[in-house]
Amino acid sequence: MSKRLFALSSALSLAVALAGVAMSQGAVAQAAPPDLDTSAGNRRAPVSGLYDWSKAGYRGGADLPGPGDINSNQNCQITAAELASQFNVRPGDGADDTTGLQAAIDQVKSSCSGSASYTKLSLITLPAGELNVSRELSVDADYLIIRGAGKDATKVVYRPDQNTLYDALTPDGSDWDEDGMTHGAGKGGWLWPGRGLFRVQSRGVHSSYSGDYRSAPENRKDIFEGTVNVHWKSGVKLKAKPGDTGFSARAGDRVVHLASAPGALTAGSLVNIRAANSQKFYEYQKATPTQWPLLNMHMRQQIFTITAVNSSQRTITLDKPLEYDVPVNSTSDGSAPIGGANYDSKAAPLVDPVVGVGFEDFSFTQDMPNLDPAQARYNYGNMEPKAQMHGIVFKWAANSWVRGMRMQMTGSHPIVTEEAKNLQIEHNELDGSWNKGKGGNGYFRGSRVWDSLYTGNVSRNLRHFTFQWSASGNVVIGNDFDSDLNLHGGWERNNLFELNTVRVPHDHRPGNCRANCGDEGGGAPDDSNWFPIWWGAGKKAVKWSGASGPRNVFFNNAMTKQLTRNGPYTDYYPDRNRVYQFGWNGTTFAHLDVGGTPISDWAHNEQRDYTGGHGVDATKTDSAPSLFLKNAGGKR
């Protein structure tokens, strides 16, 4: 990177160094990030030449629910007293509260969710004090808030039992073995991204797996839950659109052409448009030639709302334009087969999405009595692989939120997504993970997440904040991180990072690892530093997915990196008026390169200058403090 892009600011470095001292002493934050007004009325019209982020977040920009949005029916409000009297959930008694909490959620689902709405929400109020949970809680009741008495008052302590801990590890014992965890036709990989404390996901089992589900032992049943949504069961194959042999739709189109009747694809429902990988797509990403096998999968994905269905023409119309071409299959663009097999693109309905779920005003932690939290600090390995449990998992979910929460020492990711849309994650504190190593653990992770808003969060002692696996249209604004903003690969695109404070200490680096270590992709730790930005190069990221995609935008962030232990913090991409569009040449995707040669790995290339035609378009400036908000000055 040029001196223009990587210049020392001694005054800011001193302030950041002082903040670093505070962080090294275990403080989560010295002060909360600004409470930005992210309401629809304060959002800018789309800036010319940039993506339209104006509909990011809960219900496309709606305010999060308030008191007037709670169902007045007392049967749909379970108080803390009722949790105790009816469900035997009592704080501080040392008893396991899992069964009672799950029963309360199930009662809301059976009695209230069917007649509920975004303005008629059910409410479960957790008591002040400590609650004990030993198994994953399935939060599959639509339109439900789970609210505590305050993040300093209500604490959920997770101690996973033997049916929840992973009983299948990789041969070296370093990571959860998804393929080794099987029953009948199912395997553990169907649980991806893995078990958690709260799981916002359907428990619906596809009829073809009902026998396996019934016969499965307790620690295998969840493999089959949610299978009503999986693309190989719910997806509809595609056909070429008229006049365009080989492609069902192109980037910019809203109409997708189907090979058969629409079936479960109905107007108003959610659909994931999944485009098959192809040899030519991998070549476009500068990922070939490679020692790693190319994969038949759907790297390019996005959840849309269907606005119209034409059964006679066998088409569906989407609520917004596609951001990628959709070949009919992996060879219809003229590519040779990958691994000798043909792989179909699909329009996959979310048959049973979970919507309208909110978590508010309590804290949770995963208790590991034989481990010391101090040993997890700056330890980018897995301390207990069988306990890689997440905090909150959103899968096949939409229009949901997490606010005012504290998450301390989770097993792996405090918050993780996998096929989710229009989430709002705001004003939370995330601090620490027991597992931050091999297999990709300990992230604040947005995977296959679209049109979501992350604002006002404080993150400490995690591995990364990530977008990956086709994540798109998300806004990350006004957060405070001590880890990198990580574009992890898999064609994530059109995401906005602005007004964030990112202070990355010297000890935040992959080489700091004491057991079960791994770099990005699971290999041996490299000797690089993690800088405030990480970008997935095709030759590197092809090991697990593919390159980061086009037009991920960084604007007006305070990003600094400590290059030596106890040294000053140095500015990174310091021009606060410049719009940095990664993976973009002004008109189309551009892989980052050095002298015209695509970089094979971001590691050791973090300080190069990619502007001026080398993969980062920095030709646009904006004098306003925010590309997303009209007024970025404070509270609403």
Side-chain angles (χ1 to χ4, degrees):
M1 184 181 299
S2 67
K3 292 181 179 179
R4 173 176 62 87
L5 289 178
F6 201 75
L8 176 65
S9 170
S10 58
L12 182 58
S13 296
L14 176 60
V16 173
L18 292 173
V21 169
M23 286 188 287
S24 71
Q25 295 172 345
V28 172
Q30 296 303 299
D35 186 5
L36 299 170
D37 176 3
T38 60
S39 64
N42 193 39
R43 297 187 180 187
R44 288 180 69 175
V47 177
S48 177
L50 296 178
Y51 189 84
D52 179 4
W53 293 288
S54 63
K55 298 296 191 296
Y58 177 69
R59 301 182 65 197
D63 288 341
L64 289 181
D69 297 311
I70 304 300
N71 191 342
S72 61
N73 183 345
Q74 294 302 303
N75 292 327
C76 298
Q77 296 186 37
I78 299 176
T79 66
E82 289 168 334
L83 278 177
S85 62
Q86 299 177 29
F87 300 96
N88 203 30
V89 174
R90 298 181 177 89
D93 63 359
D96 189 345
D97 299 299
T98 310
T99 299
L101 289 170
Q102 188 64 67
I105 295 167
D106 292 347
Q107 178 173 296
V108 168
K109 179 180 179 181
S110 62
S111 300
C112 301
S113 292
S115 59
S117 69
Y118 292 113
T119 56
K120 193 179 177 183
L121 297 159
S122 300
L123 174 64
I124 296 175
T125 301
L126 304 179
E130 185 173 298
L131 300 175
N132 298 303
V133 173
S134 60
R135 302 184 302 279
E136 182 176 67
L137 293 167
S138 293
V139 188
D140 55 352
D142 293 335
Y143 310 114
L144 168 64
I145 301 173
I146 298 178
R147 178 182 294 158
K151 63 187 176 185
D152 295 318
T154 300
K155 183 176 184 179
V156 177
V157 179
Y158 192 26
R159 298 181 180 93
D161 65 13
Q162 291 305 305
N163 283 323
T164 304
L165 296 170
Y166 297 120
D167 62 356
L169 299 180
T170 53
D172 63 1
S174 65
D175 192 21
W176 165 40
D177 183 4
E178 305 101 273
D179 292 331
M181 187 176 165
T182 62
H183 178 79
K187 60 182 180 179
W190 296 6
L191 286 172
W192 190 257
R195 290 170 174 155
L197 168 57
F198 297 100
R199 191 177 193 88
V200 183
Q201 178 204 298
S202 167
R203 281 179 278 176
V205 177
H206 193 274
S207 58
S208 63
Y209 301 123
S210 59
D212 283 345
Y213 179 75
R214 285 193 299 270
S215 66
E218 193 63 30
N219 64 351
R220 293 291 188 271
K221 285 190 179 297
D222 56 350
I223 289 175
F224 303 98
E225 292 177 348
T227 50
V228 290
N229 289 315
V230 294
H231 71 86
W232 61 85
K233 292 295 183 184
S234 69
V236 177
K237 295 180 183 180
L238 308 181
K239 69 175 181 181
K241 72 175 187 176
D244 194 1
T245 302
F247 288 86
S248 174
R250 295 280 189 171
D253 289 348
R254 292 178 57 210
V255 175
V256 178
H257 298 259
L258 310 176
S260 59
L265 298 168
T266 57
S269 65
L270 298 173
V271 61
N272 189 343
I273 303 300
R274 309 171 65 101
N277 286 2
S278 70
Q279 296 269 9
K280 288 188 176 181
F281 181 51
Y282 275 117
E283 291 166 5
Y284 184 55
Q285 299 175 71
K286 310 299 182 186
T288 57
T290 174
Q291 61 178 311
W292 312 111
L294 303 184
L295 299 177
N296 279 312
M297 64 166 70
H298 301 127
M299 193 185 308
R300 293 161 291 181
Q301 303 181 29
Q302 190 161 355
I303 294 177
F304 300 88
T305 299
I306 299 173
T307 60
V309 176
N310 188 321
S311 297
S312 62
Q313 295 296 315
R314 296 190 305 204
T315 64
I316 57 173
T317 302
L318 310 176
D319 63 327
K320 54 194 275 187
L322 281 159
E323 299 174 15
Y324 46 87
D325 293 342
V326 184
V328 172
N329 55 48
S330 59
T331 61
S332 64
D333 66 353
S335 295
I338 295 173
N342 208 26
Y343 195 70
D344 294 309
S345 298
K346 289 192 174 178
L350 274 64
V351 176
D352 186 18
V354 179
V355 300
V357 171
F359 299 90
E360 301 180 353
D361 301 328
F362 64 97
S363 67
F364 61 77
T365 188
Q366 184 168 318
D367 183 34
M368 302 292 291
N370 297 321
L371 298 179
D372 181 358
Q375 296 302 309
R377 188 168 181 80
Y378 298 133
N379 179 2
Y380 300 98
N382 296 330
M383 296 178 69
E384 187 60 274
K386 68 181 179 182
Q388 292 172 190
M389 308 293 121
H390 308 307
I392 301 174
V393 179
F394 289 100
K395 188 171 184 179
W396 300 305
N399 292 315
S400 295
W401 70 96
V402 183
R403 66 172 165 183
M405 299 281 292
R406 178 179 294 135
M407 303 158 223
Q408 293 177 296
M409 294 310 298
T410 50
S412 182
H413 310 315
I415 301 175
V416 59
T417 66
E418 196 70 21
E419 295 201 32
K421 175 179 169 62
N422 289 109
L423 303 183
Q424 192 146 322
I425 314 297
E426 69 170 42
H427 301 298
N428 304 291
E429 297 174 9
L430 304 87
D431 188 9
S433 170
W434 296 110
N435 299 285
K436 299 194 294 291
K438 194 170 184 179
N441 288 285
Y443 302 0
F444 185 177
R445 182 174 182 261
S447 174
R448 296 185 178 97
V449 61
W450 299 281
D451 308 313
S452 295
L453 176 62
Y454 298 74
T455 182
N457 301 290
V458 176
S459 174
R460 294 290 183 269
N461 305 310
L462 297 174
R463 187 178 176 103
H464 311 298
F465 177 92
T466 61
F467 283 137
Q468 62 187 120
W469 284 109
S470 214
S472 173
N474 304 294
V475 175
V476 182
I477 180 172
N479 302 282
D480 186 339
F481 300 105
D482 70 346
S483 57
D484 47 318
L485 304 175
N486 192 294
L487 298 166
H488 205 63
W491 211 242
E492 67 279 30
R493 59 195 179 274
N494 297 324
N495 299 295
L496 172 63
F497 301 86
E498 67 169 23
L499 291 172
N500 300 292
T501 297
V502 185
R503 303 183 184 101
V504 182
H506 174 264
D507 287 340
H508 182 71
R509 55 212 315 262
N512 273 353
C513 178
R514 292 183 276 283
N516 305 314
C517 309
D519 72 355
E520 309 316 296
D526 62 45
D527 60 353
S528 66
N529 277 305
W530 280 323
F531 280 73
I533 295 173
W534 196 95
W535 192 84
K539 293 282 182 137
K540 174 79 169 187
V542 71
K543 184 176 181 181
W544 62 91
S545 59
S548 296
R551 306 192 80 179
N552 291 290
V553 173
F554 295 84
F555 176 72
N556 195 13
N557 297 289
M559 298 188 291
T560 54
K561 171 64 182 175
Q562 188 184 39
L563 292 172
T564 58
R565 184 169 293 143
N566 300 321
Y569 281 72
T570 303
D571 287 350
Y572 196 72
Y573 285 84
D575 189 337
R576 303 287 285 272
N577 293 316
R578 194 160 299 280
V579 180
Y580 296 101
Q581 300 183 69
F582 274 63
W584 192 246
N585 67 6
T587 56
T588 190
F589 169 73
H591 195 285
L592 274 58
D593 72 68
V594 176
T597 300
I599 63 171
S600 60
D601 193 340
W602 177 252
H604 299 293
N605 289 303
E606 306 94 342
Q607 298 183 61
R608 295 185 183 276
D609 186 353
Y610 298 101
T611 62
H614 298 284
V616 176
D617 181 1
T619 58
K620 182 181 290 292
T621 59
D622 199 292
S623 59
S626 171
L627 302 174
F628 180 57
L629 302 177
K630 295 176 185 176
N631 183 346
K635 295 182 179 180
R636 61 185 66 185

